[in-house]
């Protein structure tokens, strides 16, 4: 089937499927405006090839055609109506949407008790909408994502899967890059929200203990820490150590400040490495070994030492803050915000936030225990990256 005819018939079929699920109120039909390229054919051969493809679909009972009878459109097709979507889908080598959705439902419904968000995913697909660009035709990807999550949870040692993620991927799928490709559905399944902030793949996989390689924890400040083989000061301007090797704080800092972004951490480390403060880089969303290390350090401190976090004023920044706040609370501390109140941001650096983004920022700010900041976010409705402050 020639390219132009095929693309127009695919549009006709897609429009009819949208109409069937209530996403389109008008009848699925191709009118003169849709057929403008056909009407502009430069040669008789192009016109004949298009009409031959359309006539074949008509003869098979998939469509009905109306031709012009006078003027410039005489003997040109002016309108194409759908008669039988299943027949047209077969001619186009397409599986009907209804069949694809039914197959997706059969594949995923057995997992819905453990992952309730699946119901919402299936509802979106039933409306022919995507979830993180995935359609009902990608249902097997979601089954594979569940396989990854459950493998990771069953093979964790101290919140980490000891086998590197590429080896796990090869073991499960005979493809070392397959797990990386599944980051989006894994993210949705873990968050339980189809509209959740889309995290980078490494952050998603670290949540279930899957690491490409161990990232050293970067710390700065004129502070003594106890680690596996030695107890000594942190090097200047900062030091990187395996999370498991960091045991406790020996000297008491005047404050603890976690920092989300590398540029800000390195700048603050150079500026404050000789002060009695403890700066820790979170590398975005901290992974399980990092969170365990953070808990050990906080538990070695008096509750009177203030504990702060400095991150982006956006959904991801407040999501990270909510995780850190939970660890701090379990360790006997209250996490405080450092330069994360909307009033701290110059007007020139503010970027308008959508209603959805604002709602999520408010939710995570409240989860961090920062009610006054949540109220200010709801009123100001903007985002800003940490580096711009």
């Amino acid at each position: 089937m020639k390219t132009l005819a095929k693309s127009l018939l695919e549009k006709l079929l897609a429009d009819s499927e949208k109409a069937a699920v209530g996403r389109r109120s008008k009848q699925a039909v191709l009118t003169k405006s849709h057929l403008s390229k056909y009407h502009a054919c430069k040669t008789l051969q192009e016109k004949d090839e298009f009409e031959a493809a359309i006539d074949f679909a008509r003869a098979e009972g998939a469509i009905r055609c109306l031709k012009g009878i006078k003027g410039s459109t005489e003997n040109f097709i002016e309108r194409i109506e759908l008669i039988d979507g299943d027949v047209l889908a077969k001619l186009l080598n397409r599986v009907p949407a209804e069949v694809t959705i039914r197959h997706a439902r059969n594949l995923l419904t057995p997992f819905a008790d453990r992952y309730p968000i699946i119901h919402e995913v299936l509802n979106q697909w039933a409306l022919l909408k995507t979830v993180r660009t995935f359609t009902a035709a990608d249902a097997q990807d979601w089954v594979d994502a569940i396989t990854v999550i459950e493998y990771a949870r069953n093979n964790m040692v101290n919140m980490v899967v000891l086998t590197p993620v590429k080896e796990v991927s090869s073991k499960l799928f005979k493809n070392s890059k397959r797990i990386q490709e599944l980051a989006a559905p894994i993210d949705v399944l873990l968050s339980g929200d189809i509209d959740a902030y889309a995290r980078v793949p490494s952050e998603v996989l670290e949540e279930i203990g899957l690491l490409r390689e161990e990232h050293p924890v970067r710390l700065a400040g004129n502070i003594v820490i106890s680690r596996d083989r030695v107890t000594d000061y942190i090097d200047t301007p900062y030091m990187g150590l395996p999370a498991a090797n960091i045991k406790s704080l020996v000297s008491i800092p005047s404050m603890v400040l976690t920092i989300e972004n590398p540029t800000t951490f390195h700048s603050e480390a150079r500026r404050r490495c000789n002060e009695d403060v403890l700066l820790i880089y979170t590398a975005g969303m901290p992974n399980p070994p990092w969170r365990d290390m953070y808990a050990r350090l906080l538990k070695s401190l008096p509750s009177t030492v203030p504990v702060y976090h400095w991150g982006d004023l956006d959904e991801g920044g407040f999501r990270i803050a909510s995780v850190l706040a939970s660890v701090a609370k379990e360790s006997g501390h209250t996490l405080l915000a450092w330069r994360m109140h909307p009033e701290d941001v110059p007007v020139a650096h503010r970027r308008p936030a959508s209603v959805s983004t604002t709602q999520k920022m408010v939710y995570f700010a409240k989860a961090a225990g920062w009610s006054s900041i949540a109220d200010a976010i709801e009123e100001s409705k903007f985002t800003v990256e940490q580096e711009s402050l």
Side-chain angles (χ1 to χ4, degrees):
M1 188 175 289
K2 293 300 178 179
T3 302
L4 178 58
K6 184 177 181 180
S7 65
L8 287 173
L9 292 177
E10 285 176 340
K11 173 177 171 48
L12 181 65
L13 180 61
D15 287 349
S16 73
E17 290 175 338
K18 289 178 182 177
V21 299
R23 286 192 57 201
R24 178 184 172 91
S25 58
K26 295 181 179 180
Q27 175 190 3
V29 61
L30 297 176
T31 63
K32 187 176 177 180
S33 62
H34 299 114
L35 299 167
S36 58
K37 288 186 178 180
Y38 152 68
H39 280 258
C41 285
K42 295 181 180 179
T43 66
L44 181 60
Q45 181 181 354
E46 289 177 348
K47 178 177 180 292
D48 288 345
E49 287 177 348
F50 179 89
E51 290 177 354
I54 298 300
D55 282 343
F56 178 72
R58 179 191 57 76
E60 292 293 316
I63 59 173
R64 176 168 54 233
C65 305
L66 298 176
K67 283 193 173 184
I69 57 175
K70 61 181 180 179
S72 62
T73 63
E74 186 175 356
N75 292 323
F76 274 86
I77 299 169
E78 284 195 303
R79 183 181 178 89
I80 302 175
E81 299 173 356
L82 181 67
I83 300 299
D84 192 322
D86 290 342
V87 173
L88 182 56
K90 185 177 180 180
L91 293 176
L92 293 170
N93 293 318
R94 280 266 315 274
V95 178
E98 180 184 354
V99 174
T100 303
I101 293 165
R102 185 166 60 247
H103 176 67
R105 205 173 288 280
N106 291 338
L107 271 181
L108 293 178
T109 299
F111 301 102
D113 286 345
R114 301 199 298 278
Y115 303 92
I117 191 61
I118 283 174
H119 291 300
E120 198 168 343
V121 171
L122 290 171
N123 288 340
Q124 290 294 106
W125 288 347
L127 294 172
L128 303 183
K129 295 181 179 180
T130 62
V131 177
R132 299 280 187 90
T133 74
F134 287 75
T135 69
D138 305 312
Q140 183 60 47
D141 290 339
W142 294 71
V143 175
D144 290 351
I146 291 169
T147 299
V148 173
I149 293 170
E150 300 195 344
Y151 175 90
R153 287 174 173 169
N154 291 331
N155 289 275
M156 279 188 179
V157 177
N158 295 325
M159 301 299 292
V160 175
V161 178
L162 298 179
T163 308
V165 64
K166 285 192 174 183
E167 289 184 29
V168 174
S169 188
S170 294
K171 178 179 180 178
L172 293 178
F173 307 112
K174 296 182 173 59
N175 179 346
S176 65
K177 298 179 181 178
R178 177 63 173 155
I179 289 179
Q180 197 82 359
E181 296 166 355
L182 299 172
I186 291 173
D187 194 13
V188 173
L189 291 164
L190 292 175
S191 68
D193 181 0
I194 61 173
D195 296 317
Y197 163 76
R199 296 176 290 172
V200 297
S202 59
E203 185 178 319
V204 174
L205 299 179
E206 284 173 358
E207 182 175 332
I208 52 176
L210 288 169
L211 311 176
R212 286 197 295 181
E213 64 276 326
E214 185 175 8
H215 300 289
V217 177
R218 281 176 258 183
L219 311 97
N222 191 26
I223 300 297
V224 178
I225 58 172
S226 171
R227 45 198 194 267
D228 270 354
R229 292 187 173 182
V230 67
T231 296
D232 208 340
Y233 283 94
I234 297 170
D235 288 342
T236 58
Y238 66 88
M239 174 182 282
L241 295 167
N245 290 10
I246 302 170
K247 302 304 180 185
S248 63
L249 291 170
V250 177
S251 57
I252 307 300
S254 60
M255 64 177 283
V256 175
L257 174 63
T258 51
I259 299 175
E260 176 184 345
N261 293 304
T263 302
T264 306
F265 172 79
H266 290 145
S267 175
E268 290 297 294
R270 286 192 297 272
R271 190 171 69 85
R272 307 188 69 179
C273 61
N274 293 314
E275 298 180 25
D276 66 337
V277 299
L278 176 63
L279 309 179
I280 315 175
Y281 171 50
T282 71
M285 176 65 76
N287 61 32
W290 191 103
R291 296 198 296 267
D292 288 344
M293 174 278 307
Y294 184 54
R296 289 195 298 274
L297 294 186
L298 294 188
K299 287 175 182 176
S300 69
L301 290 176
S303 59
T304 52
V305 175
V307 177
Y308 294 93
H309 176 64
W310 187 9
D312 292 339
L313 274 75
D314 61 15
E315 181 187 344
F318 286 106
R319 185 186 183 112
I320 292 168
S322 71
V323 171
L324 294 176
S326 177
V327 177
K329 184 177 181 180
E330 292 172 1
S331 306
H333 293 265
T334 298
L335 187 70
L336 306 172
W338 184 268
R339 298 184 66 182
M340 291 186 71
H341 195 289
E343 292 179 357
D344 296 328
V345 181
V347 174
H349 293 170
R350 300 180 182 186
R351 295 182 303 179
S354 68
V355 173
S356 174
T357 297
T358 300
Q359 289 173 343
K360 291 169 187 170
M361 290 168 64
V362 168
Y363 172 83
F364 287 117
K366 287 182 177 178
W370 300 344
S371 296
S372 62
I373 289 179
D375 292 341
I377 292 169
E378 200 160 23
E379 184 177 341
S380 57
K381 297 180 176 62
F382 69 82
T383 65
V384 66
E385 292 182 341
Q386 183 181 23
E387 292 95 335
S388 67
L389 298 178

